[in-house]
Amino acid sequence: MLETIGREVNYITESVSLLRHLGQGGKYAELKESLNKKYASPFQEGIRKFELLERIEECAKKAFVKEKEEIRYYFETQGDTRLSCAGNLAILWDDSMDMSFQDTAEYGKYLDGLSQKEYCEKFWGCLQNFTELIQDREERKKAEEPFEVISYLMKMDIKEEEKWKIQKVFVDRKEHQAKVLALVEKMVLVLKSFEKELLEMAEQFYRYWTKELGGKSPTAYIRKRAEIDMGDSPFGFHLYPSIFAPNVISLHTELEEDGTYKQPDIVKFGILFGDDFDIRSSRTHEDAGYENYVMQVLKLLGDKSKFEILSYIRDKEAYGSELAKHLNLTTATVSHHMNALLAAGLVELKRADNRIYYSANKKALEEVFAYSRKILLGI
């Protein structure tokens, strides 16, 4: 069984991630402030990491002054999904890819070598990331022809102007691919000017997670700490650092049509996670930031759709399309709500065959209500 914990920097992957960060107008200083406010964490080690992220961010902004609008065009994300941007589609980018390409030229040759059928299938697969961060592959038919891709696109629950942008990217494949790869190549050069610091960060990641996992898989670790059960691939796992999406966890499991595993799990942990920033999504009364967490939960519960989702999965598990049908919502909307509920630790998740099932995390809800009663009623 293959078990790999990355200790290198994948410059293509990190360049795409930083371009997305710039495209959505992100600032690491604001993320640092938000996390400290939300969790009231000491965050000492995280502060040191943020210092490097902010320096690289500033350097990248100066290097891409002339391409600022182009970056925004391709990498401005839609909604709260990290993957939903035209730039990803232009180069068929999927953050779950187990990258083995040495540079953008090699990756460009790979893209050029795709047949029309392969291109349509991969573009269609990337399209799903626009609306579903956690995907239920049940009953999905692959798009193998251009007409099928365009038909799927036109039915998507996104803005009309975004549909036309995506259609242009799909039809004028070579033009947009060349532009995005040029942006990625330039960003690679920016990141390599910080090679020593980035490699030190990757090495720290390797040492920490080698010790923290203690021979266990990252999926088992996530299952224990964050109530997310995606199973464990019998082929093992690859765990990589996510540097420029520093507070994000991503997990990719590739399955056959019968639900059996095709390859090792591909997992990415943001480099902020460590001794002073726990991977848990829910909090306990002992945490300094628990009051902030309670405020976050109460705000989520004030949303009618999220409240109805939690009510429906109170005593049973349900999958995405089942929830969509029951609540008269699109699967994309259900996915949007579920992402927020998962981030707050209010739902538990597990995979069974090709479906993702959700259930309410009653323990987390009970703790929030108990804390609220104590503060507001003195009970």
Side-chain angles (χ1 to χ4, degrees):
M1 183 172 72
L2 185 62
E3 297 182 2
T4 302
I5 299 179
R7 63 196 310 171
E8 301 293 334
V9 177
N10 188 302
Y11 287 98
I12 300 178
T13 299
E14 296 300 341
S15 293
V16 172
S17 186
L18 184 51
L19 283 166
R20 272 203 307 265
H21 172 77
L22 297 181
Q24 64 188 7
K27 296 180 180 179
Y28 288 119
E30 292 179 355
L31 176 60
K32 175 178 63 180
E33 182 180 351
S34 173
L35 292 176
N36 267 312
K37 181 179 179 181
K38 185 175 181 180
Y39 299 119
S41 169
F43 224 47
Q44 295 305 311
E45 182 61 27
I47 294 297
R48 187 188 67 80
K49 293 173 183 175
F50 266 118
E51 288 174 355
L52 176 59
L53 294 179
E54 289 175 48
R55 281 197 291 119
I56 296 175
E57 175 188 71
E58 186 62 27
C59 181
K61 286 180 178 179
K62 291 179 180 178
F64 283 90
V65 170
K66 294 182 179 180
E67 298 92 345
K68 184 177 180 180
E69 288 305 313
E70 190 174 29
I71 290 176
R72 184 175 179 181
Y73 179 85
Y74 283 115
F75 291 99
E76 184 176 30
T77 55
Q78 304 303 307
D80 63 355
T81 303
R82 293 177 298 106
L83 310 180
S84 54
C85 62
N88 280 27
L89 292 165
I91 58 173
L92 303 180
W93 190 260
D94 184 343
D95 274 6
S96 66
M97 288 192 296
D98 191 357
M99 289 290 294
S100 58
F101 301 99
Q102 298 301 310
D103 51 42
T104 52
E106 185 180 351
Y107 189 60
K109 289 180 181 178
Y110 156 74
L111 293 174
D112 290 337
L114 294 174
S115 66
Q116 178 174 276
K117 178 182 176 181
E118 291 171 328
Y119 174 67
C120 289
E121 287 181 345
K122 291 182 179 297
F123 196 95
W124 170 85
C126 290
L127 272 180
Q128 294 174 66
N129 287 326
F130 258 72
T131 53
E132 297 179 51
L133 193 57
I134 299 174
Q135 296 170 16
D136 186 343
R137 302 290 186 176
E138 184 75 2
E139 300 176 354
R140 287 193 182 274
K141 178 182 179 297
K142 287 186 178 181
E144 299 179 348
E145 300 292 336
F147 176 77
E148 293 175 322
V149 175
I150 299 298
S151 296
Y152 180 84
L153 169 62
M154 291 305 161
K155 294 176 183 177
M156 288 174 61
D157 186 21
I158 58 176
K159 295 178 180 179
E160 290 300 317
E161 56 264 34
E162 197 64 30
K163 290 181 181 179
W164 290 115
K165 179 196 289 189
I166 295 170
Q167 184 170 325
K168 289 179 183 178
V169 168
F170 177 71
V171 173
D172 300 322
R173 168 186 175 183
K174 299 293 184 180
E175 174 189 347
H176 294 284
Q177 175 184 309
K179 289 181 178 180
V180 173
L181 284 179
L183 292 173
V184 174
E185 176 62 21
K186 185 171 180 177
M187 187 61 82
V188 168
L189 295 177
V190 171
L191 296 188
K192 285 194 173 180
S193 68
F194 292 88
E195 187 167 26
K196 180 180 178 181
E197 295 100 318
L198 290 172
L199 287 174
E200 288 176 355
M201 187 174 284
E203 180 65 25
Q204 182 183 0
F205 174 93
Y206 171 80
R207 292 196 304 268
Y208 176 82
W209 286 108
T210 298
K211 180 180 178 181
E212 181 72 5
L213 292 178
K216 297 180 181 179
S217 72
T219 46
Y221 187 86
I222 293 172
R223 184 162 55 247
K224 181 179 179 180
R225 305 289 286 183
E227 294 86 34
I228 297 176
D229 183 5
M230 297 295 285
D232 296 281
S233 172
F235 299 107
F237 66 85
H238 297 293
L239 173 62
Y240 299 117
S242 176
I243 297 174
F244 294 102
N247 62 321
V248 169
I249 302 170
S250 64
L251 167 62
H252 180 71
T253 300
E254 191 71 27
L255 303 174
E256 301 284 1
E257 292 184 2
D258 62 0
T260 57
Y261 288 86
K262 293 177 66 174
Q263 62 182 36
D265 290 324
I266 299 173
V267 187
K268 293 183 180 180
F269 286 167
I271 49 89
L272 290 180
F273 295 112
D275 288 328
D276 62 358
F277 188 63
D278 201 289
I279 210 167
R280 291 173 302 160
S281 49
S282 59
R283 303 290 156 188
T284 67
H285 290 198
E286 289 72 31
D287 288 329
Y290 191 73
E291 181 177 340
N292 293 333
Y293 169 69
V294 170
M295 297 301 105
Q296 176 197 6
V297 169
L298 294 178
K299 183 177 179 180
L300 291 174
L301 295 178
D303 181 273
K304 184 174 182 291
S305 295
K306 293 180 179 66
F307 189 89
E308 289 178 342
I309 287 173
L310 287 172
S311 177
Y312 186 76
I313 60 177
R314 181 190 65 192
D315 296 315
K316 70 171 186 174
E317 299 172 340
Y319 53 94
S321 54
E322 177 186 349
L323 282 164
K325 183 177 180 180
H326 175 75
L327 300 173
N328 196 28
L329 299 171
T330 66
T331 54
T333 301
V334 169
S335 180
H336 169 80
H337 290 307
M338 201 59 75
N339 291 338
L341 294 172
L342 271 170
L346 300 182
V347 296
E348 297 179 353
L349 177 154
K350 75 174 183 179
R351 183 188 66 82
D353 297 325
N354 281 343
R355 281 181 170 165
I356 304 298
Y357 287 88
Y358 306 95
S359 58
N361 186 343
K362 291 184 178 181
K363 181 180 178 182
L365 287 166
E366 287 171 352
E367 289 177 348
V368 166
F369 297 146
Y371 181 87
S372 299
R373 284 196 300 270
K374 179 180 178 181
I375 298 300
L376 298 175
L377 302 174
I379 299 175

